[in-house]
Amino acid sequence: YWIVKTNSVGNVEWQNTIGGNNYDYLFSVKQIANGGYILGGYSYSGISGDKSESSKGYTDYWIIETDSLGDIHWQNTIGGMDYDYLYSVQQTSDGGYILGGYSLSNISGDKTENSQGGNDYWVVKTNFFGNIQWQNTIGGSGSDDLLSIQQTSDGGYILVGSSASNISGDKTENSNLIFDYSMLKIDNFGIIQWQNT
């Protein structure tokens, strides 16, 4: 992960390189209420360099909270025994975090539900320290890739990504061709309220 803070005209104020001894991919960074930052992506690294936890599988969600100067406060490696890719993280109204990505892992490690078939949307809610509060694996028999998650005004979440699944598992509409936009609304406990392909 390489984070760079600039001033209002793009000049570098500080930077930090954070990683282990393998590939680490940062996809989401947001400023949080205390002035620090939440970083989210996925990692192939085990304990090494800045990585303080073992790998759970091939790739894992890797979240890091930093202070306002980019120094690590805490980190958490979250995943199952297979491939887990985190693409979106946001601080929630209760001070915790919502993580959105996709997973190929069955029940193992931190994963509490089996894959529906191929990749599935994997939503993980944590508290302020990055500890898991709840999670939901959402998908059909094909590949379902969650790329963005945002909290909504009612305290739930909107999920957007792509899907190649026909009606199966959680999927209530067939694919129009191969990959389609797939939008879902979940409540504040991760239960599906509606979806649209």
Side-chain angles (χ1 to χ4, degrees):
Y1 290 10
W2 185 29
I3 54 172
V4 180
K5 172 68 171 65
T6 73
N7 62 16
S8 61
V9 293
N11 297 317
V12 175
E13 295 182 331
W14 54 258
Q15 58 181 285
N16 196 5
T17 301
I18 300 171
N21 62 2
N22 209 325
Y23 294 107
D24 307 296
Y25 295 96
L26 175 62
F27 281 93
S28 184
V29 59
K30 299 283 176 61
Q31 191 166 36
I32 58 177
N34 65 10
Y37 301 91
I38 186 70
L39 317 179
Y42 59 89
S43 174
Y44 287 84
S45 296
I47 296 173
S48 55
D50 299 301
K51 191 103 189 307
S52 63
E53 295 177 285
S54 297
S55 174
K56 306 285 179 75
Y58 295 113
T59 60
D60 303 299
Y61 286 15
W62 190 25
I63 55 171
I64 300 169
E65 186 188 292
T66 76
D67 63 19
S68 60
L69 298 177
D71 295 318
I72 297 172
H73 271 167
W74 55 256
Q75 59 181 282
N76 197 4
T77 300
I78 299 171
M81 64 182 291
D82 215 310
Y83 291 95
D84 306 297
Y85 300 100
L86 175 60
Y87 281 93
S88 185
V89 61
Q90 181 187 37
Q91 189 169 41
T92 52
S93 57
D94 64 359
Y97 298 101
I98 193 73
L99 317 179
Y102 55 90
S103 173
L104 193 59
S105 295
N106 287 316
I107 295 171
S108 55
D110 299 304
K111 195 96 190 305
T112 59
E113 295 177 278
N114 282 327
S115 169
Q116 306 264 17
N119 295 329
D120 298 305
Y121 285 16
W122 189 28
V123 181
V124 179
K125 173 68 172 67
T126 78
N127 64 14
F128 180 74
F129 298 104
N131 300 312
I132 296 172
Q133 295 177 304
W134 56 258
Q135 59 180 280
N136 197 2
T137 298
I138 301 169
S141 59
S143 185
D144 304 288
D145 301 340
L146 173 58
L147 299 175
S148 182
I149 190 166
Q150 295 288 322
Q151 191 168 37
T152 53
S153 58
D154 64 359
Y157 303 93
I158 193 76
L159 288 58
V160 179
S162 64
S163 175
S165 294
N166 287 318
I167 295 171
S168 55
D170 300 302
K171 195 91 189 304
T172 59
E173 295 178 280
N174 282 325
S175 168
N176 287 305
L177 185 57
I178 301 176
F179 278 99
D180 299 306
Y181 287 175
S182 177
M183 178 183 292
L184 292 92
K185 172 68 168 59
I186 61 176
D187 66 17
N188 61 331
F189 295 105
I191 307 303
I192 297 171
Q193 295 179 302
W194 56 257
Q195 57 183 283
N196 195 6
T197 298

